[in-house]
Amino acid sequence: MAMEPVHTLLATQPIASPEGVLPEDLRARYGGDLFFPLAPEGRPYCIANFVSTLDGVVSFNLPGQSGGDQISHANEEDRFTMGLLRASVDAILVGSGTLLATGPEGSWLPESVYPAAKEWYKKYRTEVLRKQEYPLVVIVTGSGELDLASAVFHTPQTRVLILTTEQGKVTLAHSGSEALASVEVKALPSSGKGIAPSAIFTLLRQEAGVELLLHEAGPTLFGEFLAGGFIDELFLTVAPQIAGRSPEHPRPGLVEKTQFSPATAPWWKLVSVRNAADYLFLRYRRSLP
Ligand SMILES: NC(=O)c1ccc[n+]([C@@H]2O[C@H](COP(=O)([O-])OP(=O)(O)OC[C@H]3O[C@@H](n4cnc5c(N)ncnc54)[C@H](OP(=O)(O)O)[C@@H]3O)[C@@H](O)[C@H]2O)c1
């Protein structure tokens, strides 16, 4: 595997848990150990993962070039970390915008982003964490207008839960969702603003048993979840490029359609800083008010 060495530049929590969580191969490549607090009462502990440019852009928003790979330049260490986070969690949450941008091959398997670590991820997940072989994939859509031909709906090892509105459920049924063996569709109440984040988090914990959730959705859902106080950690890769923006062709930043005031903006505590060559890997934990 041709990875750049990863260095831990700063760690404000111990870089190894007393029990040692990551197997040695993974720990050496991650540049330390990886462990998470227990879930709060009634909802999952939620970690989000993004890669952004130096100027805060998370998508070039160009046809065929709107995914994370154009932002990270398919960076090996970023892909390895993404696979490792996927391997660590009970469920991965994606919005329909991200599903569309990822394209029909997206499967959200840990090894799909870093195939060389497939066996390590599997061993860590099944033998150390004692979780099912693959995380549940949760897709959020109000409209129900998803491409059901996408790989994620046809990967037998992956259970998919689509959370949608009553109308979205009807639309999905018309598109053939009921014939997909590994897919379950649930309708949740929705207001003019869509499904309430609190309803999503409660359902995931109480009905799906999700204790650790990885948010891989885009800036729209991230903003809604942030505003609800549901994002506990942010794993942010900073890629050493500048994308720029113009008013005629907007490019999303980390958060879209949600804004905070100086009085309500969430603040974060730095947990660790790692680097591999010119890329920074930041881990932040939400500071409590
Ligand atoms: N650089 C990175 O790390 C990174 C990470 C993730 C995504 N991205 C990029 O971000 C872009 C996509 O952004 P996005 O903000 O559109 O993605 P998103 O948040 O994943 O998806 C937005 C969609 O989710 C559904 N949704 C959102 N809130 C809802 C609610 N409360 N109730 C019901 N449905 C709800 C809606 O689907 P319907 O329209 O179907 O109702 C909405 O259009 C892509 O270019 C992607 O590549 C980049």
Side-chain angles (χ1 to χ4, degrees):
M1 242 188 296
M3 268 181 65
E4 292 282 341
V6 177
H7 305 286
T8 297
L9 304 176
L10 179 144
T12 61
Q13 72 170 27
I15 57 171
S17 100
E19 301 85 41
V21 178
L22 288 184
E24 190 46 44
D25 287 326
L26 291 176
R27 194 184 310 193
R29 276 158 186 83
Y30 184 67
D33 210 345
L34 180 66
F35 45 96
F36 299 95
L38 294 174
E41 188 70 30
R43 70 165 178 87
Y45 190 82
C46 182
I47 59 174
N49 185 29
F50 276 94
V51 57
S52 98
T53 62
L54 289 175
D55 54 334
V57 168
V58 302
S59 168
F60 277 95
N61 195 18
L62 293 169
Q65 297 184 88
S66 62
D69 270 1
Q70 283 77 36
I71 302 294
S72 75
H73 217 234
N75 174 261
E76 290 250 329
E77 296 75 35
D78 181 57
R79 294 179 73 92
F80 168 80
T81 303
M82 203 187 321
L84 182 60
L85 294 178
R86 288 180 180 179
S88 301
V89 300
D90 300 307
I92 303 170
L93 186 134
V94 181
S96 72
T98 300
L99 183 74
L100 185 68
T102 304
E105 330 65 50
S107 70
W108 284 273
L109 299 177
E111 65 265 24
S112 67
V113 278
Y114 200 73
K118 176 177 178 175
E119 290 308 316
W120 295 337
Y121 292 151
K122 182 175 169 186
K123 198 164 172 231
Y124 159 57
R125 189 170 171 79
T126 57
E127 294 180 20
V128 179
L129 302 178
R130 304 204 172 275
K131 294 184 189 287
Q132 291 186 339
E133 190 174 349
Y134 290 109
L136 172 73
V137 176
V138 181
I139 297 173
V140 180
T141 169
S143 67
E145 286 166 15
L146 303 181
D147 175 8
L148 295 183
S150 297
V152 67
F153 303 116
H154 302 275
T155 306
Q157 316 92 302
T158 301
R159 289 175 308 128
V160 179
L161 173 62
I162 302 176
L163 299 181
T164 187
T165 57
E166 288 295 348
Q167 183 53 50
K169 189 170 177 177
V170 172
T171 303
L172 282 158
H174 280 140
S175 310
S177 62
E178 286 165 3
L180 300 170
S182 55
V183 177
E184 184 183 1
V185 179
K186 279 198 183 223
L188 286 170
S190 83
S191 64
K193 289 182 177 166
I195 303 165
S198 57
I200 295 174
F201 274 73
T202 303
L203 180 142
L204 289 181
R205 181 68 191 270
Q206 291 181 353
E207 293 186 31
V210 176
E211 298 198 354
L212 186 57
L213 175 68
L214 173 61
H215 176 290
E216 282 202 36
T220 305
L221 270 165
F222 186 60
E224 293 176 29
F225 289 171
L226 260 185
F230 295 114
I231 303 290
D232 297 296
E233 291 196 18
L234 173 61
F235 285 77
L236 179 64
T237 300
V238 182
Q241 67 166 328
I242 292 179
R245 294 175 169 96
S246 75
E248 305 78 52
H249 189 85
R251 287 178 170 166
L254 209 54
V255 172
E256 292 293 319
K257 301 179 196 159
T258 295
Q259 63 181 2
F260 301 99
S261 70
T264 60
W267 283 74
W268 302 81
K269 287 183 90 62
L270 196 54
V271 177
S272 63
V273 179
R274 299 178 302 123
N275 86 301
D278 303 314
Y279 288 72
L280 279 178
F281 300 88
L282 309 175
R283 178 179 180 186
Y284 279 102
R285 187 166 292 155
R286 178 75 202 273
S287 338
L288 294 174

